[in-house]
Amino acid sequence: MKSLIVLILLVWLVIGAVAAAQRGYFGDDRDVSCKSTGDTVLTVLAGPLNYAGVNPKIDCGDIPEPSN
């Protein structure tokens, strides 16, 4: 039973990674920022839901900067 759950989880994440790749989230020309990283992670985690119309986006807003 445990191995079945692990297999389902891996397939879920692979499908999400394929969806992120199809959206161009792994391209070299993308900026590395809170928004782009968050969008990529959410797309991978959403897995097959991406093909049901889910397009997860993140709004990083005002993230506090560390003091110097």
Side-chain angles (χ1 to χ4, degrees):
M1 181 67 176
K2 189 175 183 180
S3 61
L4 178 63
I5 292 172
V6 170
L7 179 64
I8 290 171
L9 180 62
L10 286 176
V11 169
W12 183 278
L13 293 175
V14 167
I15 291 171
V18 169
Q22 289 175 340
R23 291 181 178 162
Y25 288 170
F26 298 125
D28 291 335
D29 59 341
R30 288 198 38 111
D31 293 333
V32 177
S33 66
C34 172
K35 180 170 177 23
S36 65
T37 302
D39 289 348
T40 303
V41 169
L42 286 177
T43 299
V44 172
L45 291 177
L49 298 176
N50 289 291
Y51 297 103
V54 174
N55 189 8
K57 298 287 182 187
I58 191 168
D59 181 22
C60 295
D62 294 326
I63 298 176
E65 296 288 327
S67 60
N68 292 333

